[in-house]
Amino acid sequence: MRTPMGTTRRNVLGATAAVPLLARFAETASAADGDRYGRVSDGWVEVRWAPLVREELDRLGAVVRAVAPARLVEDAHGSAIRFPVNPVKGDPSPESPQRARGDGGLQGGVAVRTPIGNLRLTHLTGVLEDGLASGRCTINGLEVEHHPAFRCGLTEGRLITEPTRDGGVMRVRMVEVPLRPTAEALEVYTATFGAPALTVDTVLAHVTAEGLYTPPRR
């Protein structure tokens, strides 16, 4: 069931602003792109929210849980959620990360419990184009699409590549990519939860992603 953007925008963007998620680092690739782009497999994405977001979650009385096979990670640096990634058709563009593209989605999801209601976000996919992240997900059983909610600082992260013994195959890791909210996301968040201590320049979270990249056959 697909839900129109207008009827659920407040719930969708309010939830995504509270729990920043990046479903994929790339502009959607069509099936026809298969010959041009390679394949990314054995991948995962980890989202670690910033201290200010943790404070905002506390203000809202929100409790966040991972939906398997995603899992919550707790360490000396704080909390994060790690999502396995479905195989992706695409190109991580090691020499120009801002041009990375692909087609995939995250496994598992996020459950958010608040005093005003509970949200369960699954089937997380997305599109990154010109640094703006949008996409779709299933919220409490309803499929929802949303306009750009985050700006992704791909050029601010660190790119690490490691060749393997299998020809041109390499392990690619993008580390500490910052996510910032769009003006629209802040507007909806304010209408839902009240004015946050956030601006469009606030880093909501840092994302780290890793996968095994197999280049296309020539």
Side-chain angles (χ1 to χ4, degrees):
M1 180 176 181
R2 187 178 298 274
T3 303
M5 175 67 191
T7 61
T8 58
R9 175 183 294 181
R10 180 171 299 180
N11 289 337
V12 176
L13 290 185
T16 53
V19 188
L21 299 172
L22 178 63
R24 56 194 169 192
F25 281 103
E27 177 182 351
T28 302
S30 67
D33 291 329
D35 293 336
R36 289 198 294 148
Y37 301 125
R39 182 180 179 84
V40 179
S41 58
D42 189 27
W44 52 265
V45 169
E46 185 174 286
V47 182
R48 185 177 301 275
W49 42 90
L52 189 59
V53 170
R54 294 199 296 270
E55 293 174 7
E56 190 70 4
L57 290 171
D58 289 341
R59 181 182 75 85
L60 298 172
V63 177
V64 181
R65 296 285 184 267
V67 176
R71 62 187 178 90
L72 190 66
V73 177
E74 298 275 1
D75 57 29
H77 301 290
S79 301
I81 293 183
R82 178 174 290 199
F83 303 87
V85 178
N86 295 323
V88 176
K89 287 182 180 179
D91 179 3
S93 188
E95 295 183 359
S96 301
Q98 68 273 21
R99 297 181 181 179
R101 61 185 61 198
D103 188 2
L106 303 183
Q107 298 177 24
V110 177
V112 184
R113 187 175 75 246
T114 76
I116 63 174
N118 300 327
L119 294 173
R120 183 181 176 91
L121 293 81
T122 55
H123 302 97
L124 301 157
T125 60
V127 175
L128 179 65
E129 186 172 3
D130 296 328
L132 295 175
S134 58
R136 65 183 184 273
C137 62
T138 299
I139 299 180
N140 294 351
L142 300 177
E143 185 178 349
V144 178
E145 297 184 9
H146 60 82
H147 293 312
F150 308 110
R151 291 183 294 113
C152 305
L154 288 175
T155 59
E156 299 176 59
R158 291 185 295 114
L159 180 66
I160 301 171
T161 61
E162 181 182 347
T164 69
R165 297 179 180 178
D166 188 10
V169 178
M170 69 175 68
R171 182 157 292 278
V172 178
R173 189 174 193 184
M174 196 70 172
V175 181
E176 294 291 306
V177 175
L179 296 184
R180 297 179 176 90
T182 62
E184 181 183 37
L186 289 178
E187 179 183 347
V188 175
Y189 190 94
T190 299
T192 306
F193 299 110
L198 310 173
T199 72
V200 292
D201 295 319
T202 300
V203 174
L204 300 177
H206 286 89
V207 175
T208 295
E210 180 176 311
L212 196 64
Y213 174 60
T214 303
R217 295 180 180 177
R218 301 300 183 185

